[in-house]
């Protein structure tokens, strides 16, 4: 089963509604936005981060036009230093390559050791956009559906101001 089929099957089994837009492979939110222009949804940026010791992991979702203040996020989570996780850690923890980071990578996190954070401004009733573990598609899912998905996998999430 392809990574996208895995996501689609999980959402369908959980009765979570979603929309899909297919497009050429993209590696940035700016590229993806060109193909979903005019469709209602919050364009998100998905960041996979770690602490200095590489023993705590964070998946952060925010508006794609915003930049993450790493120092501020480190303070929020009680760390001295936060950085982007390496390509190796991304593959090990989420089974994803750079350019594919998504909430749906949590399907591959057997250890359940990734903490999930949503920036407050994106949490609401408007669908959020993600790659469904495949960068040739953009999926639109409402927060209620994402909550159901996270709960089913055994994850808690945090809503924070960045």
């Amino acid at each position: 089963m392809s990574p996208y089929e895995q996501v689609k099957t999980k959402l369908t089994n959980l009765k979570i509604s979603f929309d899909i837009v297919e497009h050429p492979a993209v590696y940035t939110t700016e590229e993806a936005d060109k193909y979903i222009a005019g469709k209602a949804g919050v364009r998100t940026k998905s960041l996979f981060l770690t602490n200095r010791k590489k023993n705590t992991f964070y998946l952060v979702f925010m508006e794609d036009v915003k930049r993450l203040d790493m120092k501020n996020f480190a303070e929020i989570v009680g760390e001295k230093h936060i950085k982007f996780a390496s390509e190796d850690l991304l593959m090990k923890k989420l089974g994803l390559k750079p350019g594919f980071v998504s909430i749906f990578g949590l399907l591959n996190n057997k250890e359940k050791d990734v903490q999930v954070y949503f920036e407050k401004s994106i949490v609401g009733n408007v669908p959020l956009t993600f790659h469904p573990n495949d960068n040739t598609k953009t999926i639109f899912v409402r927060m209620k559906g994402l909550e159901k998905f996270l709960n089913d996998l055994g994850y808690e999430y945090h809503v924070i101001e960045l």
Side-chain angles (χ1 to χ4, degrees), residues 6 34 38 64 66 74-75 78 104 107 126 130 138 154 157-158:
Q6 182 186 19
K34 291 181 217 170
D64 70 349
K66 290 188 176 179
E75 287 177 20
F104 302 111
L107 287 165
V126 177
F130 300 94
T138 298
Y157 69 92
H158 310 275

Side-chain angles (χ1 to χ4, degrees), residues 25-108:
V26 294
Y27 296 91
T28 67
T29 56
E30 293 81 16
E31 289 177 87
D33 286 350
K34 291 181 217 170
Y35 299 103
I36 59 174
K39 191 156 173 58
V42 177
R43 283 30 177 180
T44 62
K45 179 184 295 186
S46 303
L47 306 172
F48 186 56
L49 310 170
T50 188
N51 62 353
R52 188 177 304 240
K53 294 179 183 176
K54 300 177 189 169
N55 62 2
T56 306
F57 307 96
Y58 306 93
L59 198 48
V60 179
F61 306 105
M62 58 193 295
E63 269 189 271
D64 70 349
V65 294
K66 290 188 176 179
R67 290 184 56 90
L68 179 64
D69 179 337
M70 296 285 232
K71 277 187 159 183
N72 181 45
F73 182 72
E75 287 177 20
I76 289 169
V77 298
E79 294 281 357
K80 287 189 193 270
H81 182 76
I82 292 288
K83 63 182 181 175
F84 286 97
S86 68
E87 194 172 326
D88 288 343
L89 279 173
L90 176 59
M91 182 55 73
K92 180 180 174 189
K93 293 295 175 183
L94 299 180
L96 301 173
K97 298 176 187 174
F100 291 70
V101 178
S102 160
I103 192 166
F104 302 111
L106 294 171
L107 287 165
N108 303 319

Side-chain angles (χ1 to χ4, degrees), residues 7 11 16-21 23 29 32-33 36 39-46 59-66 101-104 116-133 137-150 157-160:
V7 171
L11 296 179
I16 296 170
S17 64
F18 59 92
D19 288 323
I20 291 285
V21 173
H23 48 70
T29 56
D33 286 350
I36 59 174
K39 191 156 173 58
V42 177
R43 283 30 177 180
T44 62
K45 179 184 295 186
S46 303
L59 198 48
V60 179
F61 306 105
M62 58 193 295
E63 269 189 271
D64 70 349
V65 294
K66 290 188 176 179
V101 178
S102 160
I103 192 166
F104 302 111
V116 180
Y117 289 84
F118 288 89
E119 203 280 320
K120 184 179 179 181
S121 70
I122 69 170
V123 175
N125 198 34
V126 177
L128 303 178
T129 62
F130 300 94
H131 284 317
N133 295 347
K137 296 168 184 56
T138 298
I139 191 167
F140 291 73
V141 183
R142 294 190 187 277
M143 191 66 199
K144 285 193 184 285
L146 295 171
E147 288 172 348
K148 192 173 188 180
F149 172 78
L150 290 168
Y157 69 92
H158 310 275
V159 177
I160 56 174

